[in-house]
Amino acid sequence: MIERYAREPMNSIWSEESKFKRWLKVEIAVVKAWEKISAIPEGTASEIEKKASFNIDRIKEIEKTTRHDVVAFLQNVKEHLGKEGEYLHFGITSSDTIDTAMALALKQSAEIIIDDIKMVLETLKKRAFEFKDTIMIGRSHGIHGEPITFGFVLALWYEEMSRNLERMQKAKETISYGKISGSMGTFANVPIEVEEAACKLLDLKPAKISSQIIQRDRYAEYMSTLAVMASTIDKIATQIRHYQRTEVREAEEFFHKGQKGSSSMPHKRNPVLSENLCGLARLIRGNALVALENVALWHERDISHSSNERIILPDSNIAIDFMLNRLNNILSNLVVYRENMLKNLNLTNGVIYSQRIMLMLVEKGAEKNRSYEIVQKNAMKSWENNISFKDLVLHDEYIMSILTKDDIDNCFDPGYYVRRIDGIFKRVFD
């Protein structure tokens, strides 16, 4: 069982109060860094840390006049300080505070998302082994192909989600950078040593170079990672929705006692949880596009990114956290109908074994194109007339001049198609 660390909840990370706490944390780290190089009086940081406070209502009141949120915040904090308050925000610019604090928020969010992914992986692995040998029909273009197992499907999802874990770990690394480099990023009014010391205190790395802001390719990579993950969730949810279709009914979301599927049709049991995930995935992908647009700003910065980041960053992190937890709930409680999988496997009167017949003919010396044509002709006749493909094969003079009845029987064994599943599982899970 994945250990769930006692971390701040995702929605709490993105609250207004948490934002101002992070701003204050960055400001205090900068004061400590100044003090470390003996540029301000000793004890200044401890005095600020002891007295500093803020009130959200008061910040909003001040902002009505200043029309600047960071200035309003600093003014409110300084109302709680004495002379030491003069060293708050000394030599730095608003984006030093905002972007470094944002790195803290994104890093915290990434850690939660990484835990979520590990939880989903654990569930996928458990259920993959549960259904490793549960034979079902594989589909391409939505049309029956050849036998697979449901465990094979789950293992495929597991492997893709594993790549999402790797991407998320890399994205966490990419956004864990702060900047305390001043108005244009040139360290004109703050030494490089202050940035290095402050970032170390915050458990961040200093950006090697920045303009007035942290460069938004970092955010774009992070948001693109969320978008890829959302697409994986979308893929899984879409497939579950297909499995739950009345004509298929191979698996379905758990239907709780007292749950209602429709206000008008009492019989309805809809894949609403999976549908929710598909809808949210579209939101995440759209937000990633906005983040990509934010990379190209004017010169050392403009604020065209600022307004949308207040929406796309909290919304996307909160949404992906919700999506991963909902997906885990769906997968943990997914109801699987093995008997319907077997029924659907046999739905097409054996035409799914056509490739095996063709290859057996070729193995016995028949010409491939001729074999394809003969087998296809029988398969189409079986499909269109709803009659046994195997019977047609057994009565085809060309086929029976090459193959024996035992050969034919072997070709219609579904176990042949899944005989290497153990090897696949070893590659995926070992």
Side-chain angles (χ1 to χ4, degrees):
M1 187 71 180
I2 294 296
E3 182 182 355
R4 303 291 289 170
Y5 297 100
R7 291 189 172 122
E8 188 176 1
M10 183 68 83
N11 62 338
S12 177
I13 289 172
W14 295 98
S15 71
E16 201 165 29
E17 183 178 0
S18 291
K19 178 186 74 174
F20 290 130
K21 283 181 178 178
R22 285 189 296 272
W23 287 8
L24 185 56
K25 185 175 183 178
V26 172
E27 292 285 350
I28 291 172
V30 173
V31 175
K32 287 180 177 179
W34 277 114
E35 194 174 317
K36 185 176 181 181
I37 63 169
S38 303
I40 62 175
E42 187 177 347
T44 300
S46 61
E47 278 297 299
I48 292 175
E49 199 163 20
K50 182 168 61 178
K51 297 177 182 178
S53 184
F54 61 83
N55 180 278
I56 294 174
D57 290 336
R58 175 61 179 149
I59 293 170
K60 291 179 178 179
E61 181 185 343
I62 297 170
E63 192 177 351
K64 289 177 183 177
T65 300
T66 64
R67 297 288 195 264
H68 194 295
D69 54 356
V70 176
V71 172
F73 164 76
L74 291 168
Q75 190 171 320
N76 175 227
V77 173
K78 287 179 180 180
E79 288 175 344
H80 299 270
L81 303 176
K83 189 177 178 180
E84 66 276 357
E86 296 303 313
Y87 296 104
L88 198 68
H89 204 70
F90 185 72
I92 66 174
T93 190
S94 299
S95 291
D96 289 329
T97 302
I98 294 170
D99 284 5
T100 304
M102 183 59 74
L104 295 175
L106 291 172
K107 184 179 178 183
Q108 277 185 281
S109 298
E111 288 168 351
I112 290 174
I113 293 166
I114 286 167
D115 274 357
D116 290 341
I117 298 170
K118 289 177 180 178
M119 173 183 65
V120 172
L121 285 170
E122 185 179 82
T123 299
L124 281 169
K125 180 177 181 180
K126 177 184 176 183
R127 302 231 73 183
F129 277 94
E130 182 181 353
F131 298 106
K132 178 171 68 72
D133 301 315
T134 300
I135 293 180
M136 67 183 299
I137 189 63
R139 299 171 173 91
S140 58
H141 307 273
I143 308 302
H144 285 202
E146 292 180 340
I148 59 173
T149 75
F150 189 51
F152 173 83
V153 172
L154 291 159
L156 187 78
W157 296 346
Y158 176 94
E159 177 66 9
E160 184 165 337
M161 194 58 76
S162 295
R163 292 193 293 276
N164 283 318
L165 177 61
E166 293 171 5
R167 280 187 280 263
M168 197 65 221
Q169 289 167 333
K170 172 62 168 59
K172 175 190 167 185
E173 169 66 20
T174 298
I175 50 80
S176 295
Y177 282 79
K179 62 89 61 183
I180 309 292
S181 53
S183 299
M184 291 293 108
T186 60
F187 297 96
N189 299 303
V190 57
I192 289 176
E193 292 81 5
V194 167
E195 180 185 72
E196 291 173 346
C199 286
K200 186 174 182 180
L201 286 168
L202 296 166
D203 197 23
L204 298 172
K205 295 180 181 179
K208 290 181 180 179
I209 183 173
S210 61
S211 60
Q212 193 175 91
I213 60 169
I214 287 285
Q215 300 306 286
R216 261 38 188 184
D217 65 293
R218 293 185 183 275
Y219 289 23
E221 180 180 334
Y222 183 92
M223 292 291 290
S224 296
T225 298
L226 297 190
V228 173
M229 194 184 322
S231 293
T232 296
I233 296 170
D234 190 3
K235 164 187 177 174
I236 295 171
T238 298
Q239 199 147 329
I240 290 171
R241 289 168 62 192
H242 169 76
Y243 290 143
Q244 190 161 336
R245 289 174 57 211
T246 306
E247 297 85 353
V248 179
R249 202 163 180 258
E250 292 176 350
E252 68 175 350
E253 295 175 4
F254 182 78
F255 196 78
H256 293 269
K257 184 178 180 181
Q259 185 175 341
K260 304 293 186 291
S262 166
S263 64
S264 59
M265 295 173 284
H267 69 278
K268 292 300 289 307
R269 285 157 61 144
N270 305 321
V272 292
L273 303 181
S274 297
E275 289 171 337
N276 291 162
L277 294 181
C278 294
L280 287 171
R282 297 167 194 169
L283 176 72
I284 303 291
R285 287 192 291 266
N287 287 351
L289 178 59
V290 177
L292 290 166
E293 296 284 351
N294 287 343
V295 174
L297 303 176
W298 285 20
H299 304 292
E300 279 56 63
R301 82 166 290 204
D302 60 54
I303 63 164
S304 60
H305 63 94
S306 176
S307 55
N308 65 59
E309 284 176 354
R310 295 166 193 248
I311 300 169
I312 65 171
L313 296 178
D315 282 7
S316 296
N317 281 283
I318 291 169
I320 206 76
D321 177 42
F322 171 83
M323 290 169 72
L324 287 164
N325 279 275
R326 169 154 287 186
L327 176 65
N328 190 66
N329 176 54
I330 293 170
L331 293 169
S332 297
N333 297 293
L334 191 69
V335 180
V336 177
Y337 298 107
R338 288 182 169 94
E339 65 280 7
N340 285 343
M341 289 180 172
L342 186 59
K343 181 182 76 173
N344 289 337
L345 183 78
N346 297 317
L347 190 65
T348 54
N349 296 298
V351 296
I352 59 174
Y353 302 106
S354 65
Q355 181 178 197
R356 186 81 181 99
I357 296 291
M358 181 192 69
L359 292 177
M360 181 74 77
L361 287 168
V362 175
E363 288 173 13
K364 293 293 182 75
E367 195 269 323
K368 185 175 181 181
N369 286 340
R370 174 66 172 152
S371 298
Y372 188 104
E373 290 171 2
I374 293 293
V375 173
Q376 185 185 47
K377 179 191 73 175
N378 284 287
M380 294 303 104
K381 185 176 180 180
S382 168
W383 206 325
E384 291 165 5
N385 296 282
N386 196 27
I387 56 179
S388 170
F389 176 62
K390 186 175 184 181
D391 285 347
L392 291 173
V393 168
L394 288 169
H395 288 88
D396 186 287
E397 290 184 8
Y398 176 80
I399 294 175
M400 295 312 295
S401 69
I402 300 172
L403 303 182
T404 67
K405 186 177 182 301
D406 285 344
D407 290 334
I408 303 297
D409 288 340
N410 288 335
C411 288
F412 283 80
D413 174 18
Y416 170 86
Y417 296 86
V418 298
R419 69 193 191 281
R420 296 194 173 107
I421 292 295
D422 285 341
I424 295 171
F425 267 56
K426 184 175 177 60
R427 291 171 72 177
V428 172
F429 296 108
D430 283 359

